[in-house]
Amino acid sequence: MTFLTLLLQTPAAGGGFLQFLFPVAIGLVLYFFMIRPQQRKTAEAKSFRESLVKGTRVVTIGGLHGLLVEVGPETVLLEVERGQRLRFDRNAVARVAGNPAAEGATPTPNA
């Protein structure tokens, strides 16, 4: 009987404040290390695609290099070797290619 009375008199472990603080801290860490950087990266990609202009040398997500001949609201027309023109979705443009004058130069080992 004494064991039962001791068990009933023991206070619950942990405080209510600490139980609330831990999930909030985990949420803040997830936000600042995962969600916020991804939002920033998405915004940068959107502004890059909106800034595409005719005459820019670009590389698509598939690795195709070419010159932008026409830029529409949803598509771009890319001119590749020997006047071949291919139409791509605007989201398929990954990045701007290097300097057109330096395309024939040998690449540096660290690049």
Side-chain angles (χ1 to χ4, degrees):
M1 192 79 133
T2 57
F3 177 72
L4 184 59
T5 56
L6 284 175
L7 187 62
L8 291 174
Q9 292 176 358
T10 330
F17 180 71
L18 290 178
Q19 290 176 349
F20 175 72
L21 184 64
F22 186 70
V24 170
I26 294 294
L28 287 173
V29 167
L30 285 175
Y31 176 75
F32 283 109
F33 286 107
M34 294 179 73
I35 297 169
R36 191 168 177 220
Q38 185 62 39
Q39 288 176 340
R40 184 176 296 144
K41 186 177 180 181
T42 303
E44 288 173 1
K46 183 180 178 185
S47 69
F48 163 72
R49 289 188 177 104
E50 289 175 351
S51 70
L52 291 174
V53 292
K54 181 179 173 181
T56 307
R57 289 204 163 277
V58 295
V59 180
T60 65
I61 56 175
L64 188 68
H65 292 245
L67 179 70
L68 288 176
V69 177
E70 179 184 309
V71 179
E74 294 181 12
T75 61
V76 294
L77 190 63
L78 197 66
E79 184 174 309
V80 292
E81 219 172 288
R82 294 188 205 125
Q84 293 292 318
R85 293 181 176 197
L86 305 169
R87 186 166 302 278
F88 284 95
D89 189 36
R90 199 173 185 140
N91 293 328
V93 178
R95 61 183 173 88
V96 174
N99 185 1
E103 277 186 8
T106 56
T108 59
N110 293 335

